Amino acid sequence: MTGAAPRRIAMWSGPRNLSTALLYSFAARGDCAVWDEPFYAAYLRATGIAHPMAAEIIAANEPDPARVAAACIGPVPQGQSLFYQKHMTLHMIPGFDRSFMRACDNVFLIRHPARVVASYARKRENPTLADIGFVQQAELFDEVAQQLGRAPLVVDSADILANPQGALSALCAALEIPFTARMLHWPAGPKRYDGTWAPYWYNAVHQSTGFEGVEGPLPNLVRAHAEIAEAALPIYERLTLQKLTSV
């Protein structure tokens, strides 16, 4: 890719979707700058939602969504040829300018909603459908599809866990970038590019050094959580129809 214009990959998911592990995977390539949840501070300031470490996040990160959007399509850090941006769909609230997305390769990372709700509820009590980002993901997916005239790329976290090399090879091929086996491993512990919120949310992924294998049966959920998962399931199922298959 020497001499080519840098490529910007915007990966859109809700929380607890294997999104941080995938961020680490792209960072491990060696040719890729990464950005962890660029709009988190702007989302918190605009909504006033009480998230863990909210004050610290707003203080330590850019809270102006227009400036964040400009940086997403501005100079790539370290002059790298790839710029991977881990975005949360719920952060892209009405009123935030989405035009920067047109300069990115937009990819949608999905996970079964029962697993998402179970994982999220262990970190933050009383989750809502809005907290897990499925409705927002469908909206963004449809918006990008309309711009492209076709479905954008979709990757399922279950496929990555079942066959990391195959799933990542397929993703890289679809993005027209080379796959490297360096994407399969990363060092344990905190990373310099972790978001401010990492001490609260990233305990498990900090213990990992790679994708950790196939998940077990779907979790049993309490009624309130099961209702959230049931509401999100049609969106997940619709997006699975567009997902990449491993090579």
Side-chain angles (χ1 to χ4, degrees), residues 156-218:
D156 194 323
S157 64
D159 295 334
I160 298 174
L161 291 172
N163 182 2
Q165 182 163 334
L168 293 176
S169 293
L171 175 58
C172 288
L175 289 168
E176 300 181 339
I177 62 175
F179 168 76
T180 168
R182 290 191 293 272
M183 297 179 73
L184 302 176
H185 302 285
W186 50 83
K191 312 294 186 287
R192 58 176 176 76
Y193 45 82
D194 282 341
T196 309
W197 46 92
Y200 186 86
W201 292 98
Y202 292 177
N203 310 73
V205 74
H206 281 167
Q207 298 174 35
S208 72
T209 58
F211 298 102
E212 297 189 332
V214 177
E215 296 182 287
L218 292 177

Side-chain angles (χ1 to χ4, degrees), residues 98-141:
R98 302 178 181 181
S99 61
F100 76 94
M101 295 173 64
R102 295 177 180 269
C104 300
D105 293 296
N106 295 284
V107 187
F108 292 82
L109 175 65
I110 59 175
R111 189 187 188 197
H112 194 287
R115 299 192 190 279
V116 173
V117 174
S119 178
Y120 190 92
R122 288 193 292 269
K123 302 296 289 186
R124 186 166 177 257
E125 293 182 353
N126 303 317
T128 67
L129 182 61
D131 288 329
I132 60 172
F134 279 82
V135 173
Q136 301 94 322
Q137 188 171 49
E139 177 188 339
L140 291 169
F141 177 89

Side-chain angles (χ1 to χ4, degrees), residues 131-155:
D131 288 329
I132 60 172
F134 279 82
V135 173
Q136 301 94 322
Q137 188 171 49
E139 177 188 339
L140 291 169
F141 177 89
D142 291 341
E143 187 174 313
V144 174
Q146 184 173 19
Q147 292 170 4
L148 294 175
R150 57 173 174 81
L153 297 176
V154 176
V155 60

